[in-house]
Amino acid sequence: ARLCHTFGPGAKKTDDRAHAEFARKAAAGEEIVLNSAGSQLRSYNYIVDSVSGILTVLLKGISRAAYDICSPGNTVTIRELAGLFAKVGGTEVVVKEPDEKQKALQSPISKQVLDSSRLEALGWSKAYELEDAVNNYVKILRG
């Protein structure tokens, strides 16, 4: 099982990945700051869909075959994901010029997109649309 970017409840407060930061900022109603244009394209999955995908592979998958655990339709840029979190949080996205330290932390990978077709062929389907997953996550963070 090869997981795409997975997000949802259970992330530590020290998690510095972009989606975890977006969720915390949205839950607090604070603006979401991007230190780049956010043009990197990524596949995202809500934790519930990742777990059900892993279980599907364990129960129905072919031994030694690779399965991408990702949801069709959940491929967006980091900027678009930030926008979804901002919408749910009632806040906005602000793009700022990164300092040297932030530039050094940026991923040089512009596209991390997986293909769910083999997983879907096992009968798996996602439970959450991306916007619903973002909404649910922020709602849980708010308590």
Side-chain angles (χ1 to χ4, degrees), residues 92-119:
E92 57 188 59
V93 176
V94 175
V95 179
K96 294 188 176 177
E97 185 65 32
D99 61 27
E100 291 306 312
K101 182 179 177 184
Q102 292 162 333
K103 283 181 184 177
L105 294 172
Q106 291 177 354
S107 173
I109 302 168
S110 63
K111 185 177 179 182
Q112 290 177 330
V113 177
L114 301 181
D115 178 4
S116 63
S117 59
R118 292 185 85 183
L119 179 61

Side-chain angles (χ1 to χ4, degrees), residues 15-35:
D15 188 339
D16 63 355
R17 292 176 294 169
H19 52 79
E21 181 71 19
F22 298 164
R24 287 192 298 272
K25 293 290 188 179
E30 299 173 4
E31 68 182 21
I32 295 171
V33 178
L34 287 180
N35 294 310

Side-chain angles (χ1 to χ4, degrees), residues 62-141:
I62 298 167
S63 182
R64 293 188 209 108
Y67 294 89
D68 289 342
I69 310 296
C70 61
S71 293
N74 287 10
T75 299
V76 294
T77 65
I78 291 173
R79 172 69 176 90
E80 290 168 330
L81 184 66
L84 287 175
F85 275 103
K87 179 181 173 185
V88 168
T91 187
E92 57 188 59
V93 176
V94 175
V95 179
K96 294 188 176 177
E97 185 65 32
D99 61 27
E100 291 306 312
K101 182 179 177 184
Q102 292 162 333
K103 283 181 184 177
L105 294 172
Q106 291 177 354
S107 173
I109 302 168
S110 63
K111 185 177 179 182
Q112 290 177 330
V113 177
L114 301 181
D115 178 4
S116 63
S117 59
R118 292 185 85 183
L119 179 61
E120 291 176 278
L122 298 177
W124 179 88
S125 63
K126 68 180 177 181
Y128 284 87
E129 294 296 331
L130 188 56
E131 190 167 348
D132 295 333
V134 166
N135 187 42
N136 197 52
Y137 185 18
V138 171
K139 188 181 198 181
I140 289 169
L141 287 177

Side-chain angles (χ1 to χ4, degrees), residues 45-64:
N45 229 8
Y46 195 47
I47 187 72
V48 173
D49 289 327
S50 289
V51 170
S52 71
I54 291 167
L55 290 172
T56 299
V57 169
L58 287 171
L59 295 171
K60 299 179 178 181
I62 298 167
S63 182
R64 293 188 209 108

